[in-house]
Amino acid sequence: MVSLPPSLQKQVSVMSMNLSAKLDELQRGDRQLETTVALCEIRTQLQELTKSVESCQSEVSEVKRDMVTIKQELDTVQQVKEEIEELREYVNRLEEHSHRRKLRLLEQGLTLFLSYAILAAVLGMLQFGYNTGVINAPEVNIENFMKDVYKDRYGEDISDDSVKTLYSVAVSIFAIGGMVGGFSGGTIANRFGRKGGLLLNNVLGIVGACLMGFTKLAESYEMLFFGRFIIGVNCGLNTSLVPMYISEIAPLNLRGGLGTVNQLAVTVGLLVSQVLGIEQILGTNEGWPVLLGLAICPAILQLLLLPVCPESPRYLLITKQWEEEARKALRRLRASNQVEEDIEEMRAEERAQQAESTISMTELICSPTLRAPLVIGVVMQLSQQLSGINAVFYYSTNLFTSSGLTDESAKFATIGIGAIMVCMTLVSIPLMDRTGRRTLHLYGLGGMFIFSIFITISFLIKEFFGYVQEMIDWMSYISVVSTLCFVVFFAVGPGSIPWMITAELFSQGPRPAAMSIAVLVNWMANFLVGIGFPSMKSSLENYTFLPFSAFLAIFWIFTYKKVPETKNKTFEEILALFRHGNDRSSLRDSRLYGSMLNCVNALEGHIPPAESAALMVAEEKPHPDSCKALKKKPAQSINHDTL
């Protein structure tokens, strides 16, 4: 029951008293007041009372309407509150589910068929390593061949400087071919697939090996140049396609270690070329064409082994949208029918980079979000090539000879470099997923910097005390040991991490274009070192390694300041990391970003809740502040802008 307003109650009371008074007067028969007048006054007051009552009824109706409206709003507020609570519980369930899924991803092991696929793929990197080192040992034999061919053609001897120039062309044209191959790697990967591109690439490997193998028979050093260029294109494509393929088929917890297998194959190829290049085997005037022609073996072997392997599941699912084919490939690689975790992780990556699904090199360079990872990938590639390691690979025999070793000892020291590279790469495989990419790279660059200084010091002391034979022997030993330690630290970090981390920093859409740019930069730096080191050595003499020392210091600072850790992170987490900036402190926010993004996509109805639950990749509970925006609207109205 609704009470009357106080003003109306007072008015009714006054009128009631007046009426009572008038009635009393009428009953007493007061002659001073006529009956008609009294009745008129009573009627007037009754009319006013009626109007007041009607006004009161109107006010009561308005109050009732307001109360109904308030009740409806209270019901709405209660409903929104319940929806917010449901949303919070849903986010927590999604987060818990995603955490369990990621733990299952981290528990995946190395299967027999996955090992086979990786072995077949890394034959391309073995090809790269073999052709990088094969030109080193037979340097004198190749120069003698060039002198003989020139004399037969023109009837006169060629100068030593011209021969050195021709040999430098034979060394460096390999890098020019690598630039061409590396730059086209992204296009090949998108058009033919990772596996398909590797298979087609072996045709170039066979052609290049045949050209080099028949160089002496044809008495044409131009054929050697052309063969080195073709095999360079082959190796450039391998350096783009192989890391991409391995990073996409490897389980999350093994991606670092299996990525290091790339460098292991390179070092094995280097060692094989160095061993076969000694005079006792193929390092002779008759054997060096066979030594170069043996590059046909990795190409033929890969053609035989790779067809059995599946295409990259990420390429099949994200690029081609062939989900069933991707499932089949994963079942074979994981040796299990339980592949939903991998499928869901790929879907999460696809959803996180839908806006960048088809991206060209120009768009990649202009993208504000992707500029930071691209710069990191390029600098990491430069840190590998401008560290001075290729000066050791290409000219180690000559380097050791100038340090005071005999020719035979210099060749065996070069073999020692290859053996140490293989051993240290094996050591770095388990460390990659325990210590982390960034940490190992810092250790590697720091050690190389220190021992590059030692190499320079050994050269200087040898010059100052060159007249003392005992000092020459001692400093030759120091120079060799410093060079070997230089190689050890290269194998620990800079040898393998740049190839791996470039593929990790980008999601499926921009990854091919990013790999093309990074590999192009790598080969350009490779070419500059290969063609410029002899001149730099002549100009700087004992200070030859000082420019490399300066570069190593710069790269160490850059790695410490800018490079994030990618160990045990999904591709979606890494993508979200750069959306918030590439500093390490934003890692927690990046995980939350990826989680909330998938949650909102689920709420919008883009994907079923059962699937959306598996798309979450966060490892930590959401911060309370992150849900403030969600509390402002009902769940039905939440969109991306709310976040």
Side-chain angles (χ1 to χ4, degrees):
M1 179 177 180
V2 181
S3 61
L4 295 175
S7 60
L8 185 58
Q9 287 179 352
K10 183 176 180 181
Q11 185 178 2
V12 170
S13 298
V14 172
M15 289 182 178
S16 177
M17 291 173 62
N18 292 335
L19 286 172
S20 297
K22 295 294 182 183
L23 289 173
D24 289 341
E25 290 177 359
L26 288 173
Q27 288 175 356
R28 286 196 303 266
D30 191 350
R31 297 295 181 178
Q32 295 179 359
L33 185 66
E34 295 182 358
T35 303
T36 304
V37 175
L39 289 175
C40 288
E41 291 179 358
I42 292 171
R43 187 180 296 110
T44 302
Q45 291 184 9
L46 285 173
Q47 288 175 351
E48 292 177 358
L49 181 61
T50 302
K51 292 179 181 178
S52 298
V53 171
E54 289 175 352
S55 175
C56 179
Q57 288 176 341
S58 176
E59 291 181 7
V60 169
S61 299
E62 290 180 2
V63 170
K64 287 182 178 180
R65 284 197 300 270
D66 291 342
M67 291 182 67
V68 170
T69 303
I70 290 172
K71 186 176 182 303
Q72 290 175 346
E73 290 179 353
L74 287 174
D75 291 341
T76 303
V77 170
Q78 183 63 29
Q79 182 182 359
V80 170
K81 183 179 178 181
E82 291 174 359
E83 289 175 349
I84 290 174
E85 292 299 324
E86 290 177 2
L87 176 61
R88 184 179 289 111
E89 293 176 3
Y90 183 60
V91 169
N92 290 336
R93 289 197 304 270
L94 288 175
E95 187 181 43
E96 183 181 356
H97 181 92
S98 67
H99 185 64
R100 290 198 302 268
R101 179 178 63 82
K102 186 171 181 180
L103 288 178
R104 289 194 295 270
L105 286 173
L106 292 173
E107 291 171 357
Q108 291 178 339
L110 185 65
T111 64
L112 181 63
F113 191 74
L114 177 62
S115 303
Y116 173 87
I118 290 172
L119 173 64
V122 298
L123 287 171
M125 297 303 284
L126 186 142
Q127 178 83 289
F128 168 54
Y130 183 85
N131 286 285
T132 298
V134 75
I135 201 74
N136 192 350
E139 176 181 353
V140 176
N141 306 113
I142 293 174
E143 288 178 351
N144 290 334
F145 163 72
M146 291 176 175
K147 289 178 182 178
D148 294 340
V149 170
Y150 188 89
K151 188 170 184 178
D152 290 342
R153 286 184 185 177
Y154 305 107
E156 59 183 23
D157 293 329
I158 188 174
S159 65
D160 290 340
D161 290 341
S162 299
V163 171
K164 291 291 183 185
T165 301
L166 287 175
Y167 180 75
S168 295
V169 171
V171 171
S172 56
I173 201 171
F174 172 72
I176 296 177
M179 284 185 247
V180 175
F183 187 72
S184 53
T187 304
I188 298 296
N190 281 333
R191 183 168 184 179
F192 300 104
R194 284 55 164 158
K195 171 191 168 184
L198 286 171
L199 286 172
L200 291 174
N201 190 31
N202 287 307
V203 176
L204 295 176
I206 293 172
V207 172
C210 290
L211 287 171
M212 293 188 297
F214 290 110
T215 292
K216 188 171 184 180
L217 188 63
E219 295 187 353
S220 170
Y221 47 74
E222 292 85 359
M223 186 179 288
L224 172 63
F225 298 157
F226 191 51
R228 285 280 292 173
F229 175 79
I230 296 296
I231 206 72
V233 175
N234 168 266
C235 292
L237 282 168
N238 281 326
T239 55
S240 180
L241 296 172
V242 175
M244 202 185 307
Y245 180 73
I246 291 179
S247 70
E248 291 180 7
I249 68 172
L252 178 63
N253 60 318
L254 299 178
R255 203 168 61 212
L258 295 180
T260 309
V261 176
N262 288 319
Q263 182 63 17
L264 178 62
V266 174
T267 57
V268 169
L270 279 167
L271 181 60
V272 170
S273 69
Q274 290 162 354
V275 171
L276 293 179
I278 63 175
E279 292 182 1
Q280 290 82 352
I281 303 180
L282 292 174
T284 61
N285 287 327
E286 293 76 22
W288 69 264
V290 179
L291 179 67
L292 297 180
L294 284 177
I296 198 174
C297 295
I300 292 178
L301 191 58
Q302 191 174 64
L303 275 177
L304 295 175
L305 297 179
L306 197 60
V308 183
C309 302
E311 182 56 87
S312 160
R314 289 183 184 274
Y315 173 78
L316 293 173
L317 180 65
I318 299 177
T319 304
K320 304 298 288 185
Q321 298 294 315
W322 295 343
E323 182 173 331
E324 192 54 39
E325 294 298 322
R327 290 180 185 275
K328 290 179 182 178
L330 281 170
R331 291 189 190 108
R332 296 180 68 192
L333 291 168
R334 305 290 184 259
S336 171
N337 291 326
Q338 304 300 321
V339 296
E340 288 307 311
E341 287 81 8
D342 293 274
I343 293 291
E344 290 161 357
E345 194 251 328
M346 293 178 197
R347 284 176 178 157
E349 178 189 349
E350 179 184 22
R351 190 168 297 277
Q353 54 89 48
Q354 276 181 340
E356 301 154 352
S357 56
T358 55
I359 193 164
S360 64
M361 293 185 193
T362 304
E363 292 169 335
L364 174 62
I365 294 171
C366 296
S367 170
T369 304
L370 298 175
R371 189 175 298 127
L374 180 63
V375 169
I376 290 174
V378 166
V379 175
M380 293 289 277
Q381 298 290 343
L382 290 175
S383 72
Q384 183 187 78
Q385 294 300 324
L386 298 184
S387 65
I389 194 64
N390 272 342
V392 176
F393 287 161
Y394 289 147
Y395 302 103
S396 58
T397 304
N398 183 270
L399 199 65
F400 288 138
T401 303
S402 64
S403 299
L405 296 180
T406 63
D407 290 342
E408 186 174 359
S409 298
K411 289 185 178 181
F412 281 107
T414 299
I415 293 175
I417 287 177
I420 288 176
M421 283 280 290
V422 172
C423 294
M424 290 308 301
T425 305
L426 285 170
V427 169
S428 69
I429 289 177
L431 292 177
M432 196 63 65
D433 285 309
R434 293 181 183 177
T435 307
R437 286 68 149 151
R438 178 178 175 274
T439 303
L440 284 182
H441 200 66
L442 287 172
Y443 278 126
L445 292 174
M448 292 178 76
F449 172 78
I450 292 171
F451 285 103
S452 67
I453 298 295
F454 280 148
I455 292 172
T456 302
I457 292 173
S458 68
F459 287 163
L460 291 173
I461 294 178
K462 177 178 175 292
E463 180 183 0
F464 292 145
F465 298 96
Y467 55 87
V468 181
Q469 184 61 41
E470 292 79 3
M471 186 64 72
I472 293 176
D473 296 338
W474 183 68
M475 289 317 301
S476 297
Y477 174 76
I478 293 295
S479 178
V480 172
V481 170
S482 298
T483 304
L484 294 179
C485 291
F486 183 83
V487 171
V488 165
F489 280 98
F490 174 80
V492 167
S496 57
I497 291 174
W499 300 115
M500 180 198 320
I501 202 170
T502 305
E504 287 183 331
L505 289 175
F506 295 90
S507 55
Q508 187 74 13
R511 187 179 297 131
M515 287 295 294
S516 294
I517 294 173
V519 171
L520 173 64
V521 170
N522 185 288
W523 281 97
M524 287 177 66
N526 187 326
F527 170 74
L528 291 175
V529 173
I531 198 71
F533 183 73
S535 301
M536 189 171 72
K537 188 172 181 295
S538 301
S539 302
L540 299 178
E541 296 180 348
N542 296 322
Y543 298 96
T544 300
F545 271 83
L546 279 185
F548 298 128
S549 301
F551 279 124
L552 287 166
I554 293 170
F555 294 137
W556 191 95
I557 294 172
F558 179 87
T559 302
Y560 182 79
K561 294 285 188 181
K562 296 294 184 181
V563 177
E565 182 55 71
T566 59
K567 180 185 72 171
N568 286 345
K569 292 181 180 60
T570 64
F571 290 112
E572 183 197 4
E573 286 176 343
I574 297 170
L575 177 65
L577 177 66
F578 286 104
R579 289 185 186 274
H580 290 270
N582 62 349
D583 58 299
R584 297 186 300 282
S585 63
S586 65
L587 176 59
R588 182 184 62 79
D589 295 332
S590 73
R591 290 170 178 164
L592 180 59
Y593 174 85
S595 302
M596 299 307 296
L597 175 65
N598 288 311
C599 174
V600 170
N601 286 334
L603 293 171
E604 286 180 333
H606 293 167
I607 48 177
E611 292 183 3
S612 68
L615 292 179
M616 302 286 292
V617 294
E619 289 182 318
E620 304 174 9
K621 295 291 183 184
H623 193 277
D625 294 341
S626 64
C627 296
K628 288 181 179 177
L630 297 178
K631 296 179 181 179
K632 296 179 181 178
K633 299 183 181 181
Q636 296 92 330
S637 64
I638 296 174
N639 54 36
H640 287 286
D641 296 332
T642 309
L643 294 179

